Amino acid sequence: MAELSTLARPYAKAAFAYAQQSSDLSGWSTALATAAAVSQNEKVGELLDNPQLTSEARAEKFLSVCGEGFDLSKQNFIKLLAENHRLSLLPEISELFEDLKAQAEATLEVEVTSARPLSDEQSQRLTLTLSKKFSREVHLHSAVDESLLGGAIIRAGDTVIDGTVRGRLAKLAEAMNS
């Protein structure tokens, strides 16, 4: 997985720089998400692996599947990826692009998994607290996992905060065993 993101990073950075320069972050975001979804299709995968097609033919067929939402710069990007045999990296490129976009917009996607559904007040307080902690606008997504017993797990980028009863019990057991 790390190897794929290493290969995808320069393409994501280039697309992001161009999108930012042309003030079209949302357009590029949508186009890359579409292209990533198309590239993960089984039939398209067979097309991309076909050694009889030239890179130009691959790009043209790929773009015809993607639809008409691609302006000339986005088409050229897809053609460049086809030429370098990198169309299969589109999911990673799209993901890295979204990370760069979130950094530029100073937003952070936060996933909260709790034992019980969060009330509106709890969600608002948690959003406010996390916004202060990370100095970014927080977009909170919550899920329920009843196996947690109590508390919550918060995932914000690379940061994981385990405030569950299960996590606390594991820490206590570890401390007792050492």
Side-chain angles (χ1 to χ4, degrees):
M1 189 70 157
E3 185 178 321
L4 293 179
S5 64
T6 302
L7 292 171
R9 187 170 289 110
Y11 294 102
K13 284 183 175 180
F16 178 76
Y18 184 84
Q20 201 170 31
Q21 179 184 358
S22 61
S23 300
D24 190 20
L25 286 175
S26 63
W28 273 85
S29 177
T30 303
L32 287 173
T34 300
V38 167
S39 74
Q40 291 177 318
N41 181 289
E42 213 175 292
K43 299 245 186 226
V44 173
E46 292 172 12
L47 171 83
L48 298 179
D49 293 336
N50 186 345
Q52 296 176 337
L53 289 176
T54 65
S55 60
E56 286 181 24
R58 271 192 200 108
E60 292 303 321
K61 288 185 184 281
F62 188 86
L63 286 167
S64 70
V65 173
C66 287
E68 298 181 16
F70 287 65
D71 62 17
L72 186 60
S73 60
K74 294 173 187 92
Q75 289 176 18
N76 287 338
F77 185 73
I78 295 297
K79 289 175 183 175
L80 175 73
L81 292 174
E83 195 175 299
N84 293 325
H85 306 286
R86 299 287 191 242
L87 285 172
S88 61
L89 292 177
L90 276 162
E92 286 79 14
I93 293 169
S94 178
E95 186 178 322
L96 291 169
F97 183 92
E98 290 304 318
D99 291 345
L100 291 168
K101 181 180 171 212
Q103 283 178 347
E105 295 174 341
T107 61
L108 183 64
E109 299 294 321
V110 176
E111 179 68 34
V112 177
T113 306
S114 58
R116 290 180 201 84
L118 297 176
S119 68
D120 288 340
E121 181 189 340
Q122 289 171 321
S123 293
Q124 289 173 349
R125 281 195 339 218
L126 187 58
T127 301
L128 183 63
T129 303
L130 292 172
S131 292
K132 287 179 184 175
K133 177 177 175 59
F134 293 110
S135 301
R136 291 184 177 187
E137 180 183 333
V138 170
H139 296 256
L140 196 68
H141 305 280
S142 60
V144 175
D145 181 357
E146 294 175 358
S147 71
L148 294 178
L149 304 177
I153 296 174
I154 301 169
R155 289 182 178 85
D158 293 339
T159 305
V160 178
I161 302 168
D162 187 353
T164 62
V165 172
R166 179 183 289 163
R168 290 180 187 163
L169 288 173
K171 285 179 188 175
L172 179 63
E174 185 179 314
M176 291 175 66
N177 288 333
S178 13

